[in-house]
Amino acid sequence: MQPLTDLLRDQHVQMRRLLDEVRQLGIGSEAGRERLRQARALIVEHLRQEDAELYPSLHRTDATQALAQTYADEMRQLSGEILAFFDSWQHGGDDLAFARHYGRLMGLLNRRWTREEVRLYPAYERHCLRTDAA
């Protein structure tokens, strides 16, 4: 079985790929909107896994409780903005407006993904993997 943090990192790669395909195909095309739906579904699953598996493990460990709370609180705020992006473009729309909104979303996601991969996931691997495997 793949370790949780490896799975979450792989999902980041898949989300980037799908979102790049949306940008390349264009929001006006059915193929672009299909990739958008796929990216949304993957993000929702990713958030579910973090809520169900990652954060509870981090909360059970004294060394990572505060970090987990900070990241979970931040994600609760960001998730509405992220999902609103997908919902607002599900039927297509103006390419220029989409490009601006897409750029803001990717900036937000890339900052978050980097912070997770540099700080949150290593904390989980260092402090929680031994306990979760037991």
Side-chain angles (χ1 to χ4, degrees), residues 67-131:
L67 182 67
Q69 194 60 52
T70 298
Y71 274 74
D73 290 346
E74 180 185 279
M75 198 65 241
R76 271 191 285 284
Q77 292 176 333
L78 295 176
S79 62
E81 185 176 343
I82 292 166
L83 295 177
F85 167 83
F86 289 99
D87 295 343
S88 64
W89 296 105
Q90 65 183 336
H91 301 294
D94 178 68
D95 288 334
L96 185 56
F98 173 77
R100 283 193 299 267
H101 201 181
Y102 176 89
R104 283 193 304 274
L105 174 79
M106 290 309 297
L108 178 77
L109 288 174
N110 281 318
R111 279 188 302 278
R112 176 62 187 212
W113 291 335
T114 298
R115 290 179 61 232
E116 287 179 351
E117 292 177 11
V118 168
R119 187 150 186 235
L120 189 66
Y121 298 169
Y124 172 85
E125 292 162 351
R126 200 169 32 257
H127 298 285
C128 301
L129 275 181
R130 290 180 305 276
T131 13

